[in-house]
Amino acid sequence: MRNLGKLKLGSLEKYIKKRSTKTAFPYSITNIDIEIKKCLFVLGLLLFSPSIYSQVSTFHVKGKVNPEYNDNLVTLSTFIGESIRSIDSTYVVDGQFSFEGTEYLYEASEISMRYAADSVFAIKFFLERGPIKVELKKKSRVISPYTTDYQQYLDSCRKLWDVCTTKGKTAAFYEKGWKDFFTYKFLYKKKYIHNGIGRSLFLDDAHYMNDPYFYTLYDLLPENDKLRYDVQDAYNSRKYQDMQEQLVGKLFIDFTLKNRNDKEVKISDYIGKSQLLYLDFWASWCGPCLAQETHIKELYERYKANGFDILGISFDTSKESWSKALDKKGVIWPELYVGNQERVKELYKLYCITGIPHGVIIDKTGKIVYNIVAQWQQLKWVLEEYYKK
């Protein structure tokens, strides 16, 4: 194409007329001027309209770190589940660094900086639109609209929790306290449930068995989130917990196990011989199980005179591993083991067990009265309350 910039105005008119006979060029100089003005007007609306500008979903990270780390590489990583979605990087200049991009709320992102062979500054947060301040140090911190909002949420939860755990109040007081606690948490999670912020909070609170809003929040999750393994695990775990609660008040489920002499023994052989029988489900490969053993022994010594007894049931399939663990911890109460992987699965299913350590308390009549899912601390609270009667 010829260089139009060198033509005078008159020459441009002649050029347009000449080209229009061959290309049907539809514009006169006046029309071109009008079209340019229209374009500039529309562009001005796009640039300066508050409603349009407010919809720009861009994050602006401004970071600070000690200037002694100048020239160090800072990395911003985003994720999809456990996979890396993208990586961006920059260098520290005058103790500062920055990142900018499109808001990403599906998963928490991470900024990190390696400053020694085995040392890293790092912090996770959500890349929300707007300004985000990051300070990298041993206890890194983030300042952004969401983190401020989240801190207020945590402070409110803490105050509501303090109300729920105040001693010496009536049952009606505690009932209202728990209702307020779960309602407040529900409204906050609902606010963010359609992105990773709400999903992460949903997963954090999935362990609350008495949360009445769990299934409501689950139904509000986007369909793709419901397919995630962590969401499915939380959902299935809650289903099992509900099934555990349904066992309370029903008769125990009998099961055949083996002792150290390989003699077959049933759970029913121990029912009715004590006021309370605690089925202690554990395994030699379960660290938390072994870690709480000292506390379980203390509770046994404290309450055995009151009719409290224990039956240890190990999910070990190797008798050798189980026997070594018994020798190490010492045998104080009867201990049995399953010894077969298929029967392990069967026992898990019968007692709706989602993981170990796990405990079931059975009264003298053979009725299940408690499920212990919060390790020895929960057992301690249950026994303290039970023997007040």
Side-chain angles (χ1 to χ4, degrees):
M1 182 180 288
R2 294 172 60 190
N3 189 349
L4 300 186
K6 295 182 179 180
L7 296 176
K8 296 181 180 179
L9 187 59
S11 300
L12 181 58
E13 287 178 322
K14 292 178 182 178
Y15 176 79
I16 292 173
K17 289 178 181 178
K18 181 178 179 182
R19 294 291 294 169
S20 66
T21 59
K22 296 182 179 180
T23 61
F25 194 87
Y27 296 112
S28 66
I29 293 300
T30 304
N31 286 335
I32 291 174
D33 186 52
I34 292 173
E35 291 301 320
I36 290 174
K37 289 179 178 179
K38 285 181 179 179
C39 290
L40 291 174
F41 177 73
V42 172
L43 181 61
L45 286 177
L46 290 172
L47 290 174
F48 299 107
S49 171
S51 61
I52 297 296
Y53 185 75
S54 63
Q55 294 177 18
V56 176
S57 53
T58 303
F59 67 82
H60 305 273
V61 173
K62 298 294 183 183
K64 291 176 61 179
V65 68
N66 193 310
E68 69 177 279
Y69 301 114
N70 281 348
D71 299 325
N72 274 30
L73 186 70
V74 181
T75 302
L76 171 62
S77 304
T78 65
F79 306 89
I80 298 178
E82 295 182 342
S83 301
I84 295 176
R85 169 180 173 265
S86 66
I87 295 179
D88 194 5
S89 60
T90 188
Y91 289 92
V92 178
V93 178
D94 296 331
Q96 299 181 36
F97 59 89
S98 65
F99 293 98
E100 190 172 278
T102 304
E103 179 183 60
Y104 181 65
L105 300 178
Y106 184 72
E107 206 84 67
S109 301
E110 181 180 69
I111 280 184
S112 60
M113 185 192 79
R114 182 175 295 279
Y115 61 91
D118 57 351
S119 301
V120 177
F121 292 145
I123 190 166
K124 286 190 174 183
F125 58 98
F126 284 92
L127 292 174
E128 57 187 306
R129 69 182 66 186
I132 302 173
K133 294 182 180 179
V134 175
E135 188 173 354
L136 289 181
K137 50 185 179 180
K138 286 187 177 180
K139 291 187 178 181
S140 300
R141 67 186 189 121
V142 171
I143 300 174
S144 70
Y146 169 66
T147 51
T148 300
D149 189 32
Y150 180 63
Q151 187 57 56
Q152 292 173 349
Y153 163 76
L154 292 179
D155 292 342
S156 297
C157 286
R158 195 172 296 110
K159 292 176 182 177
L160 289 167
W161 177 267
D162 289 342
V163 171
C164 295
T165 55
T166 303
K167 294 183 177 180
K169 299 295 182 179
T170 64
F173 176 88
Y174 294 122
E175 184 177 349
K176 182 181 183 303
W178 283 113
K179 181 179 179 181
D180 292 343
F181 177 74
F182 285 118
T183 299
Y184 175 76
K185 290 175 79 69
F186 165 70
L187 293 174
Y188 188 85
K189 286 180 281 190
K190 182 182 178 182
K191 178 180 175 182
Y192 295 105
I193 199 62
H194 292 292
N195 57 42
I197 297 171
R199 180 187 356 100
S200 64
L201 294 175
F202 169 82
L203 292 172
D204 288 345
D205 289 347
H207 65 280
Y208 283 115
M209 290 182 62
N210 51 342
D211 182 356
Y213 299 107
F214 177 86
Y215 293 110
T216 301
L217 285 167
Y218 175 80
D219 289 339
L220 293 174
L221 284 169
E223 290 303 315
N224 63 310
D225 278 1
K226 292 179 182 178
L227 298 176
R228 289 172 56 106
Y229 78 93
D230 49 2
V231 173
Q232 289 184 348
D233 283 352
Y235 181 81
N236 292 333
S237 178
R238 178 56 185 262
K239 280 290 186 182
Y240 261 80
Q241 289 174 353
D242 291 344
M243 292 168 67
Q244 286 175 3
E245 286 302 298
Q246 292 170 10
L247 291 176
V248 174
K250 296 181 180 179
L251 288 176
F252 77 100
I253 305 155
D254 208 0
F255 198 81
T256 302
L257 302 118
K258 292 183 179 181
N259 62 19
R260 295 188 85 169
N261 297 321
D262 284 327
K263 179 183 177 181
E264 290 190 344
V265 185
K266 293 184 177 181
I267 294 175
S268 56
D269 295 335
Y270 300 89
I271 301 297
K273 296 181 179 180
S274 55
Q275 188 176 4
L276 290 180
L277 176 65
Y278 178 62
L279 304 184
D280 180 24
F281 293 101
W282 68 287
S284 64
W285 41 261
C286 171
C289 299
L290 300 177
Q292 71 167 3
E293 190 66 27
T294 300
H295 302 289
I296 299 293
K297 287 180 180 178
E298 290 174 355
L299 292 173
Y300 174 72
E301 294 296 335
R302 185 184 307 172
Y303 292 105
K304 66 179 181 179
N306 300 91
F308 175 65
D309 210 346
I310 297 176
L311 174 62
I313 299 178
S314 171
F315 284 116
D316 278 286
T317 55
S318 166
K319 182 182 177 181
E320 183 181 358
S321 299
W322 173 60
S323 294
K324 287 182 179 179
L326 288 181
D327 291 338
K328 189 173 183 179
K329 76 173 190 173
V331 180
I332 299 177
W333 49 77
E335 293 279 0
L336 306 174
Y337 83 112
V338 180
N340 180 286
Q341 189 60 46
E342 289 304 314
R343 288 177 57 75
V344 166
K345 294 178 182 177
E346 184 181 352
L347 188 53
Y348 260 86
K349 188 174 181 180
L350 286 175
Y351 279 92
C352 304
I353 299 171
T354 57
I356 53 177
H358 181 83
V360 174
I361 299 180
I362 301 171
D363 68 11
K364 197 176 184 70
T365 68
K367 189 180 295 183
I368 296 173
V369 290
Y370 294 102
N371 283 294
I372 306 298
V373 295
Q375 301 189 35
W376 70 271
Q377 293 95 334
Q378 185 185 4
L379 178 61
K380 176 177 180 290
W381 299 330
V382 167
L383 293 176
E384 286 175 349
E385 188 65 27
Y386 184 86
Y387 286 111
K388 281 181 181 179
K389 300 177 183 178

